[in-house]
Amino acid sequence: MIYIALLRGINVGGNNKVDMKLLKQTFEKAGMKHVTTYINSGNIIFSNESMSHQELADKLEQGISADFGLNIRVLIRNLPEIREVMKVLPEHWTNDAQMKGDVLFLWDEINDRSVLDQIPINPEIDTVLFASGAILYSVSKANASRSGLIKLVGTKLYKHMTVRNVNTTRKIHQLMETAAEQEIAAD
């Protein structure tokens, strides 16, 4: 099975610095196969056939703690779960000079459509969608400073999610699909 590990809070603002080459080695030592990292924000694609999501997260969090001395939360999603997010993500959403588009990946304890009731939304400018495991958030760059998303940052709820922009999410999906194809070809 192909997975993505989304690490929360590494290499942000000069804090919790983690070298991706060393992180790849941590994953390999923990028994993950075909490990690939994508950009410095903590996106690691890998395969594993024997552990549950929670077992994977626990093992990887322990490895990161042992190798880097950091208490970093790891969110695990498999390829079918990422495909479900991609079905909901509108094709025209971007993260560019005109639009800010983000995917807020949710930890299991808040992974429910009812979480939308806790999200500060400015209905005049924010577009918010739910997919199992994620909230999709879009606002024009011109209105970003008035977006409800700004009010979410730093809240207790925000600590139970990790954010990737829509461009990064699409690239993660593409890399996972490629890894799945390579896994099939190798069998």
Side-chain angles (χ1 to χ4, degrees):
M1 175 68 70
I2 302 298
Y3 294 94
I4 179 75
L6 301 165
L7 280 59
R8 187 177 194 289
I10 69 161
N11 299 333
V12 177
N15 296 316
N16 296 333
K17 290 191 174 207
V18 175
D19 180 288
M20 292 298 105
K21 289 178 187 172
L22 297 176
L23 185 60
K24 179 180 178 183
Q25 292 172 3
T26 297
F27 272 59
E28 290 168 342
K29 282 193 311 189
M32 306 310 130
K33 305 291 182 204
H34 314 290
V35 179
T36 303
T37 62
Y38 175 65
I39 64 176
N40 263 356
S41 59
N43 308 295
I44 304 93
I45 297 155
F46 63 94
S47 66
N48 184 282
E49 299 302 326
S50 62
M51 291 185 229
S52 71
H53 281 50
Q54 190 58 55
E55 290 169 330
L56 288 167
D58 290 345
K59 184 152 186 99
L60 295 169
E61 287 171 2
Q62 291 167 6
I64 292 166
S65 178
D67 290 356
F68 298 96
L70 297 172
N71 184 21
I72 301 292
R73 287 196 75 188
V74 176
L75 180 68
I76 303 293
R77 291 289 179 259
N78 62 32
L79 180 54
E81 291 166 330
I82 294 297
R83 286 176 179 153
E84 288 303 311
V85 171
M86 297 309 295
K87 286 180 187 176
V88 176
L89 179 61
E91 288 185 32
H92 69 276
W93 282 21
T94 60
N95 197 59
D96 58 22
Q98 287 76 41
M99 179 182 270
K100 178 175 176 43
D102 289 317
V103 178
L104 292 69
F105 288 97
L106 308 173
W107 261 268
D108 289 342
E109 56 263 31
I110 64 165
N111 183 17
D112 187 88
R113 184 176 295 278
S114 66
V115 75
L116 291 176
D117 297 334
Q118 301 173 54
I119 302 290
I121 298 170
N122 183 338
E124 295 174 14
I125 60 172
D126 294 330
T127 303
V128 180
L129 305 171
F130 180 81
S132 182
I135 295 170
L136 294 78
Y137 214 111
S138 177
V139 64
S140 72
K141 283 276 176 105
N143 290 318
S145 64
R146 299 181 332 152
S147 172
L149 185 60
I150 291 172
K151 295 176 185 168
L152 179 64
V153 176
T155 65
K156 184 177 178 182
L157 184 64
Y158 190 69
K159 294 177 182 173
H160 296 282
M161 54 184 69
T162 186
V163 182
R164 301 298 184 273
N165 73 50
V166 295
N167 302 342
T168 297
T169 302
R170 286 188 180 105
K171 183 63 176 182
I172 287 168
H173 173 243
Q174 176 190 5
L175 292 169
M176 291 177 79
E177 291 288 357
T178 299
E181 291 169 10
Q182 291 171 346
E183 192 173 74
I184 291 169
D187 287 342

